[in-house]
Amino acid sequence: MSEPQAGIFVEGSHSHFFLEYKLIDGVSTAQLKEALAKAIALSDAGVNKVWAFGADCWRSIAPGVCPADLKPFVAVGEGKRIAPATQQSILLWVHGENHSANFDAAMAASTALASVAILRLEKIGFLYKDSRDLSGFIDGTENPTGRGQQLVALIPEGEAGAGGSFVLSQQWVHNLSSFHALSQSEQEAVIGRTKPDSIELDDEHMPENSHVSRSDVKINGVSQKLYRRSVPYGGVLEHGLYFLAFSCDIRRFDHILQSMFGVSGDGIYDHLTDFSTPVTGNYWFAPSAGELSAIGSL
Ligand code: HEM
């Protein structure tokens, strides 16, 4: 049994750091592995760390065990409604209850990587109320629970990358004043759920362009389920959702994004994209715990 990185499944953390690094030009694979092995081996009590890698980076580290489907993120959409691609090389997600300990862990890992990679994006995330997005809606209601989390998130035994996971990350910037200018029932029509208690609207009241309608996608009878771990980030000047999701199949992300951005065939786009805008987009591979700890000896 290939054990996943445990931090993927630890829920409810109050403090989050999302760090995206770009490899420095000219760094050799041997240099990269050496620095990564040191950064990964750092021990930080009480801190959850999840490591993931862009396609080019992981293929150079572990060519023999890389899942064939792993690919860089490519922009989705057309015209002004676009989910842009900003593919970087390494993602480190640090989370837990102790913000000071998370800060120290993020600093230590970044110092260990400094000779091989530049920190290109940093978002500080936090738990908002009872797991709500800053729009005020509960985020994660339809997430799988129990054993279902691993079935949805992990590549099965026997396949390349078993125990690992495909990951999508996107920084979304909210326009909260325009969203909050809507009445509560208009906001609920944008999301497709009630605001206080996250009950799905019935068929009669569910718009075809609600977020639920556009993200609840079935392909050939298979529900394109994800294990979402997004949290809000930011402060008063800029804020939104750091969208983070794990999947056993990278194509699920493609299908849902195409549906949200109006390029899945029916021309309908997700009304949520009128109130929030993605400004980054990356696909990653989060290897199993075993493959991660073997990086120094690969
Ligand atoms: C600003 C960005 C986003 C916000 C604020 C947001 C918020 C929400 C909320 C409030 C729900 C309903 C409650 C729940 O089931 O969790 C939801 C559901 C969902 N979202 Fe998002 N979301 C965002 C972006 C995305 C993206 C980019 C994807 C996928 C690529 C996605 C996939 C899903 C899925 C699969 C569901 C469950 C649908 C169902 O089966 O009912 N979301 N989201």
Side-chain angles (χ1 to χ4, degrees):
M1 174 69 192
S2 310
E3 288 300 323
Q5 295 184 53
I8 295 172
F9 299 97
V10 177
E11 295 190 348
S13 296
H14 281 77
S15 156
H16 299 253
F17 284 72
F18 301 99
L19 306 165
E20 298 179 5
Y21 305 86
K22 182 83 178 166
L23 285 193
I24 294 170
D25 284 346
V27 164
S28 71
T29 305
Q31 289 169 314
L32 168 63
K33 286 184 190 172
E34 192 186 336
L36 266 177
K38 281 189 188 141
I40 291 164
L42 290 168
S43 84
D44 320 274
V47 173
N48 302 291
K49 286 192 292 186
V50 176
W51 292 90
F53 305 92
D56 294 348
C57 186
W58 187 243
R59 279 213 168 83
S60 73
I61 294 171
V65 293
C66 185
D69 288 347
L70 183 62
K71 58 186 179 180
F73 187 79
V74 173
V76 181
E78 52 195 14
K80 284 191 179 161
R81 202 175 307 275
I82 296 273
T86 56
Q87 187 68 52
Q88 312 289 354
S89 315
I90 302 169
L91 171 70
L92 172 60
W93 171 30
V94 178
H95 65 108
E97 288 316 296
N98 185 334
H99 193 66
S100 308
N102 291 345
F103 176 81
D104 289 344
M107 283 296 284
S110 300
T111 304
L113 291 179
S115 61
V116 298
I118 294 169
L119 183 58
R120 293 287 280 273
L121 185 88
E122 173 185 44
K123 289 293 145 206
I124 314 286
F126 58 97
L127 193 69
Y128 179 62
K129 299 182 179 170
D130 47 343
S131 288
R132 286 174 192 261
D133 168 64
L134 298 177
S135 59
F137 282 80
I138 294 174
D139 192 10
T141 311
E142 276 299 322
N143 248 350
T145 54
R147 176 87 190 107
Q149 295 176 343
Q150 300 217 350
L151 286 174
V152 163
L154 301 180
I155 296 173
E157 274 326 298
E159 292 184 19
S165 190
F166 296 106
V167 188
L168 165 64
S169 72
Q170 287 179 304
Q171 179 197 349
W172 286 72
V173 179
H174 286 3
N175 184 342
L176 282 185
S177 52
S178 69
F179 189 72
H180 288 144
L182 303 177
S183 68
Q184 182 169 315
S185 60
E186 287 169 336
Q187 293 178 13
E188 292 176 338
V190 172
I191 299 294
R193 285 187 171 264
T194 58
K195 193 167 185 180
D197 41 12
S198 197
I199 298 181
E200 193 170 310
L201 303 187
D202 55 32
D203 290 351
E204 198 189 322
H205 296 98
M206 178 73 85
E208 58 183 6
N209 66 347
S210 75
H211 180 53
V212 166
S213 298
R214 301 316 293 171
S215 63
D216 185 5
V217 175
K218 250 194 193 145
I219 303 286
N220 300 326
V222 179
S223 271
Q224 304 292 288
K225 292 282 176 205
L226 307 176
Y227 179 45
R228 287 168 291 133
R229 299 304 323 277
S230 320
V231 285
Y233 72 87
V236 173
L237 278 178
E238 187 190 69
H239 41 249
L241 189 75
Y242 190 87
F243 181 86
L244 185 70
F246 294 80
S247 175
C248 56
D249 182 350
I250 200 167
R251 287 165 301 186
R252 293 187 181 187
F253 301 130
D254 294 333
H255 292 138
I256 298 174
L257 286 172
Q258 284 159 7
S259 165
M260 288 177 67
F261 284 82
V263 289
S264 58
D266 58 13
I268 305 169
Y269 66 82
D270 191 327
H271 199 12
L272 184 58
T273 59
D274 288 320
F275 304 95
S276 189
T277 308
V279 296
T280 70
N282 286 265
Y283 279 155
W284 313 95
F285 176 65
S288 66
E291 284 183 3
L292 186 71
S293 58
I295 281 181
S297 49
L298 282 173

